């Protein structure tokens, strides 16, 4: 097959940041995605309806003129979040709230310690039909970084899913066979997003032959058997797994340093890379479900109607993207060849 036409996709997990950077990140995503779930880990975080609506407005101002791009906003749960915050926020344009365990990742200092203390908030979310999005890693410093996702399932996610059977949960950016199997064994109210980097790479791509900081993200890349399991579940066409890029820009100098930031900025090639993965897996017929249907279905939103076509045609991801403040970003897959292009 040299061309594929699918319903316009949505990105169910990404980071736009704020300020000037929106002029880079929003158009890059709006070039192919109709909607995006926008992560709230700003400094300070997006904690309530009024923060979310103000942020949404800034994003819309950065969208290309004439685009019908729709940002979907998310609240950032903290130990101070109340059921009232949930009731006030809950709506089509704030469909979800995000749980970051404190210290798990970029800008998560304000996040939750003592997850059980949030059970009243989960109850309110369950009643209101608001989705719970979870960064699923334990954060105690003594836990090996490669075991953090599995332990989070055992210690937190399993109990939450059992205690709140009506709460819709998205286990974000899963990286292990354990996570894939847990999602498959859960009810219809449990689903997961998967990033392009976790389908394309494993920890050798981070560490063999030298440290590659641009492949460093959290949860960190795992061994190839885990990568293979993620590839298997997307190729299976299961509707419990859908597209969420976790595209996360960091300036080049903050990644190429002694203590580099976590995140891959994939917006420039995300859909093309997912297409490449499904093509490699001989599963192009499963791409549309993953990219365009299952996320919308899980969120209880209408599927998009517009179509988008990709052609088999090689191109090279730029080495760097210049920002107006003089910084630059090294995009995910920089300098490498992609096999698919949006027509
Ligand atoms: O690699 C990551 N980068 N993982 C996250 O969970 C957050 C993200 C970011 O905000 O940079
Ligand atoms: Zn993320």
């Amino acid at each position: 097959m040299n061309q594929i036409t699918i319903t316009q996709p949505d990105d169910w997990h990404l980071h736009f940041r704020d300020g000037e950077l929106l002029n880079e990140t929003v158009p890059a995503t709006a070039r192919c995605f109709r909607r995006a779930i926008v992560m709230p880990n700003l400094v300070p975080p997006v904690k309530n309806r009024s923060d979310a609506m103000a942020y949404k407005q800034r994003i819309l101002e950065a969208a290309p003129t004439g685009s019908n791009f729709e940002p979907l906003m998310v609240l950032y749960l903290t130990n101070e979040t109340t059921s009232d915050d949930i009731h006030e926020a809950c709506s089509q344009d704030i469909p979800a709230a995000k749980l970051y365990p404190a210290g798990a990742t970029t800008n998560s200092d304000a996040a939750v310690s003592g997850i059980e203390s949030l059970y009243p908030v989960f109850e309110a979310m369950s009643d209101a039909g608001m989705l719970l999005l979870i960064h699923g890693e334990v954060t105690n410093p003594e836990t090996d970084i490669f075991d953090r996702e599995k332990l989070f399932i055992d210690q937190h996610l399993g109990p939450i899913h059992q205690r709140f059977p009506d709460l819709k949960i998205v286990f974000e950016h899963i990286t292990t066979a354990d996570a894939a199997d847990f999602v498959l064994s859960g009810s219809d109210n449990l689903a997961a997003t998967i990033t392009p980097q976790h389908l394309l790479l494993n920890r050798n791509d981070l560490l063999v032959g030298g440290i590659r900081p641009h492949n460093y993200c959290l949860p960190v890349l795992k061994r190839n058997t885990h990568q293979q399991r993620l590839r298997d579940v997307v190729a299976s066409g299961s509707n419990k797994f859908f597209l969420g890029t976790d595209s996360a820009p960091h300036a080049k100098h903050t990644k190429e340093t002694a203590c580099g930031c976590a995140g891959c900025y994939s917006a420039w090639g995300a859909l093309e890379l997912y297409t490449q993965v499904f093509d490699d897996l001989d599963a192009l017929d499963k791409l549309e479900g993953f990219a365009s249907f299952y996320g919308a279905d899980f969120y209880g939103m209408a599927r998009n109607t517009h179509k988008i076509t990709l052609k088999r045609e090689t191109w090279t991801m730029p080495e760097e993207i210049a920002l107006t403040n003089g910084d630059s970003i090294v995009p995910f897959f920089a300098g490498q060849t992609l096999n698919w292009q949006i027509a």
Side-chain angles (χ1 to χ4, degrees):
M1 208 191 296
N2 288 321
Q3 185 165 310
I4 177 170
T5 297
I6 61 171
T7 301
Q8 189 176 11
D10 304 300
D11 186 344
W12 298 98
H13 179 132
L14 58 60
H15 302 262
F16 277 148
R17 313 297 187 213
D18 208 350
E20 251 317 282
L21 200 47
L22 292 176
N23 294 318
E24 160 54 40
T25 55
V26 179
T29 286
R31 94 199 152 87
C32 67
F33 294 109
R34 158 87 176 86
R35 296 171 287 204
I37 282 281
V38 183
M39 287 296 124
N41 60 333
L42 305 180
V43 185
V46 178
K47 287 199 271 201
N48 52 43
R49 178 165 191 88
S50 116
D51 294 346
M53 288 302 105
Y55 185 31
K56 179 175 183 173
Q57 196 47 43
R58 298 195 293 279
I59 292 168
L60 286 172
E61 279 159 20
T65 23
S67 93
N68 62 354
F69 176 70
E70 187 186 352
L72 302 169
M73 311 312 291
V74 175
L75 293 194
Y76 184 113
L77 296 173
T78 73
N79 286 110
E80 277 73 56
T81 306
T82 62
S83 306
D84 284 347
D85 292 323
I86 300 301
H87 292 131
E88 187 199 33
C90 197
S91 62
Q92 274 288 100
D93 52 5
I94 309 183
K98 175 79 185 261
L99 172 66
Y100 287 104
T105 188
T106 308
N107 304 335
S108 61
D109 300 345
V112 176
S113 48
I115 291 175
E116 286 70 25
S117 65
L118 274 184
Y119 276 19
V121 171
F122 297 162
E123 184 90 61
M125 292 173 66
S126 177
D127 292 346
M130 189 184 234
L131 280 74
L132 176 63
L133 316 184
I134 300 187
H135 182 115
E137 290 192 285
V138 297
T139 55
N140 40 322
E142 63 277 14
T143 301
D144 189 279
I145 192 166
F146 293 104
D147 297 337
R148 290 177 171 208
E149 188 170 272
K150 160 88 174 91
L151 283 177
F152 188 89
I153 297 168
D154 301 342
Q155 294 176 8
H156 301 292
L157 188 51
I160 294 169
H161 185 42
Q162 197 162 32
R163 173 82 169 257
F164 301 99
D166 298 327
L167 177 62
K168 282 192 174 181
I169 299 175
V170 184
F171 193 175
E172 299 285 359
H173 42 52
I174 61 166
T175 62
T176 57
D178 310 278
D181 292 337
F182 177 72
V183 169
L184 283 169
S185 71
S187 79
D188 289 349
N189 286 333
L190 180 65
T193 53
I194 307 186
T195 74
Q197 63 266 26
H198 292 103
L199 291 168
L200 285 159
L201 308 180
N202 60 64
R203 64 194 191 183
N204 279 6
D205 299 292
L206 179 65
L207 296 169
V208 171
I211 293 180
R212 290 158 209 277
H214 300 292
N215 290 342
Y216 175 59
C217 63
L218 288 170
V220 74
L221 295 170
K222 303 299 190 301
R223 65 163 64 236
N224 62 355
T225 48
H226 292 295
Q227 178 198 5
Q228 190 53 51
R229 186 81 187 109
L230 300 182
R231 292 167 70 93
D232 289 346
V233 294
V234 300
S236 79
S238 164
N239 66 357
K240 286 175 141 291
F241 303 92
F242 49 84
L243 187 157
T245 62
D246 203 15
S247 181
H250 291 273
K252 180 180 177 183
H253 67 90
T254 66
K255 295 212 38 106
E256 297 180 4
T257 179
C259 185
C261 293
C264 300
Y265 184 52
S266 60
W268 279 42
L271 181 61
E272 296 86 337
L273 288 169
Y274 282 115
T275 307
Q276 194 154 317
V277 168
F278 280 80
D279 189 14
D280 289 348
L281 294 168
D282 211 8
L284 277 176
D285 60 319
K286 305 291 194 321
L287 175 67
E288 185 175 40
F290 176 82
S292 315
F293 294 161
Y294 305 150
D297 296 350
F298 191 78
Y299 273 78
M301 295 181 182
R303 293 178 178 183
N304 296 326
T305 49
H306 191 76
K307 302 279 178 195
I308 184 164
T309 296
L310 292 117
K311 290 178 300 178
R312 189 190 297 279
E313 219 167 84
T314 57
W315 59 289
T316 304
M317 182 62 66
E319 295 282 359
E320 268 182 50
I321 298 162
L323 300 176
T324 47
N325 67 358
D327 281 344
S328 69
I329 298 174
V330 176
F332 181 61
F333 233 63
Q336 297 184 68
T337 304
L338 291 88
N339 299 336
W340 289 85
Q341 219 173 99
I342 295 171

